[in-house]
């Protein structure tokens, strides 16, 4: 599931136990999906909802690859700098999922029914765009990074409202699987090494 099940009014990372309060249709559909899973499977406890946030990978359509492309094509990029989240790579998330599956299968432990997983640290979309330029240049994917200009959410209107703050507290997952998260910039570097 996703950080978008929350409204973004927190000032510290959301814990798995916090109440859902989505502010857009995407978040509402995810919240309804979670509730349906709970309603159907709660008697047997044969489910685990894992929320993640700001997902990026080395293929497909995602923010990191879009920014890399814009660094190649534009002279400057304007990017929102007042929405905060926990960037997460698909590689990091998949490792966490496999570890959770192994724990469930082998140790027959009582897992919490809702967990969070995201990479360490907090960033804005602007922070990620700047990092993409720096990393892309370092790895030779870019001739040079372009200037990234910070703008506010009100200067970049979209149809859907986005949470201002949607960072996830993954400490319970880290402890459970014995895997400390990696800082998002390091995982972003690893992501771009996969496409180099």
């Amino acid at each position: 599931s996703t950080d978008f099940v929350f409204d973004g009014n927190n000032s510290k990372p959301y814990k798995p136990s916090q109440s859902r309060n989505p502010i857009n249709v995407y978040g509402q559909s995810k919240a309804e999906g979670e509730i349906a899973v709970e309603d159907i499977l709660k008697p047997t406890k044969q489910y685990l909802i894992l929320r993640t946030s700001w997902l990026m990978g080395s293929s497909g359509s995602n923010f990191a690859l879009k920014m890399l492309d814009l660094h190649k094509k534009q002279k400057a990029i304007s990017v929102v700098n007042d929405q905060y989240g926990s960037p997460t790579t698909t590689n990091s998330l998949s490792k966490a999922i496999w570890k959770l599956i192994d724990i469930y299968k082998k140790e027959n432990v009582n897992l919490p029914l809702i967990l969070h997983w995201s990479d360490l640290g907090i960033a804005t979309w602007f922070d990620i765009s700047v990092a993409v330029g720096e990393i892309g240049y370092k790895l030779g994917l870019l001739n040079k990074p372009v200037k990234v200009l910070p703008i506010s959410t009100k200067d970049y209107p979209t149809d859907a409202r986005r949470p201002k703050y949607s960072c996830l507290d993954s400490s319970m997952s880290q402890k459970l699987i014995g895997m400390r998260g990696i800082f998002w910039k390091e995982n972003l570097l690893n992501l771009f090494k996969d496409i180099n």
Side-chain angles (χ1 to χ4, degrees):
S1 190
T2 173
D3 55 318
F4 273 42
V5 299
F6 300 117
D7 58 20
N9 291 329
N10 253 25
S11 57
K12 57 186 179 182
Y14 283 92
K15 294 189 177 298
S17 59
Q18 286 185 249
S19 298
R20 305 171 185 100
N21 188 28
I23 60 171
N24 61 36
V25 172
Y26 173 74
Q28 184 64 39
S29 70
K30 289 293 191 175
E32 288 174 9
E34 289 185 11
I35 292 164
V37 166
E38 289 172 335
D39 287 347
I40 294 166
L41 297 173
K42 199 161 210 162
T44 61
K45 295 188 177 179
Q46 291 181 314
Y47 73 92
L48 170 62
I49 294 169
L50 184 64
R51 296 182 184 126
T52 192
S53 59
W54 294 27
L55 203 55
M56 294 175 263
S58 58
S59 63
S61 176
N62 62 74
F63 185 78
L65 296 183
K66 182 179 181 181
M67 286 300 108
L68 183 64
D69 189 53
L70 290 176
H71 272 281
K72 290 176 183 175
K73 295 177 178 176
Q74 303 292 327
K75 295 190 180 200
I77 312 168
S78 297
V79 184
V80 171
N81 194 34
D82 60 356
Q83 293 173 20
Y84 298 86
S86 305
T88 308
T89 62
T90 52
N91 191 30
S92 161
L93 178 63
S94 62
K95 284 179 185 174
I97 289 170
W98 280 114
K99 284 187 175 278
L100 285 167
I101 290 170
D102 284 343
I103 289 169
Y104 183 80
K105 282 181 0 188
K106 294 177 184 171
E107 298 177 20
N108 198 22
V109 295
N110 268 338
L111 291 173
L113 298 177
I114 300 178
L115 288 169
H116 290 167
W117 183 265
S118 58
D119 294 339
L120 295 182
I122 295 171
T124 66
W125 298 112
F126 169 82
D127 296 329
I128 298 168
S129 184
V130 169
V132 165
E134 292 168 352
I135 292 167
Y137 178 69
K138 179 180 178 180
L139 295 177
L141 300 171
L142 298 170
N143 292 328
K144 66 173 186 170
V146 299
K147 187 171 182 66
V148 182
L149 306 168
I151 61 171
S152 69
T153 299
K154 67 178 175 48
D155 295 326
Y156 187 76
T158 59
D159 290 338
R161 284 178 60 208
R162 292 180 169 266
K164 286 278 198 181
Y165 183 96
S166 62
C167 302
L168 299 175
D169 183 335
S170 300
S171 57
M172 191 187 304
S173 299
Q174 291 170 19
K175 187 182 289 187
L176 186 67
I177 65 177
M179 183 173 115
R180 179 153 168 75
I182 297 173
F183 188 61
W184 67 267
K185 273 192 188 177
E186 187 178 337
N187 270 340
L188 191 62
L189 173 65
N190 293 333
L191 179 157
F192 282 130
K193 283 179 180 174
D194 285 347
I195 61 172
N196 193 358

